Amino acid sequence: MVHPRFVFFAFLALSVLLAVMNEDSILSSNKGDSLCCNDHPEFGICTNKSCNKWCLQGCTRGGFCKRKICHCYC
């Protein structure tokens, strides 16, 4: 027979594991949202074509060079 204390700790460990996995998936799904409506100086040398292509990875409208900085549309 399985000891009740073992079942409790196994359930607790599974709950923590599922919570961490859910948090990771939430964070990764929001990465694209941070691209939109923002300037991205980390992009580097900005050309409208390359900036637009990069922004399309997370924003449906793409992006453009704004004062030599890649800016993704909202």
Side-chain angles (χ1 to χ4, degrees):
M1 186 168 146
V2 178
H3 198 277
R5 199 176 278 179
F6 175 76
V7 173
F8 172 75
F9 284 115
F11 177 76
L12 185 64
L14 181 61
S15 297
V16 169
L17 179 65
L18 290 174
V20 169
M21 287 174 55
N22 187 35
E23 183 178 315
D24 286 345
S25 68
I26 289 171
L27 290 175
S28 65
S29 69
N30 287 339
K31 280 183 179 175
D33 294 342
S34 68
L35 287 178
C36 304
C37 306
N38 289 315
D39 292 339
H40 298 283
E42 73 276 8
F43 178 75
I45 297 172
C46 190
T47 64
N48 281 327
K49 186 176 180 179
S50 59
C51 175
N52 184 58
K53 184 178 178 181
W54 185 71
C55 287
L56 282 172
Q57 293 177 15
C59 301
T60 56
R61 292 189 58 211
F64 68 101
C65 294
K66 178 175 141 182
R67 294 184 300 263
K68 299 182 182 180
I69 295 174
C70 184
H71 176 85
C72 297
Y73 289 112
C74 295

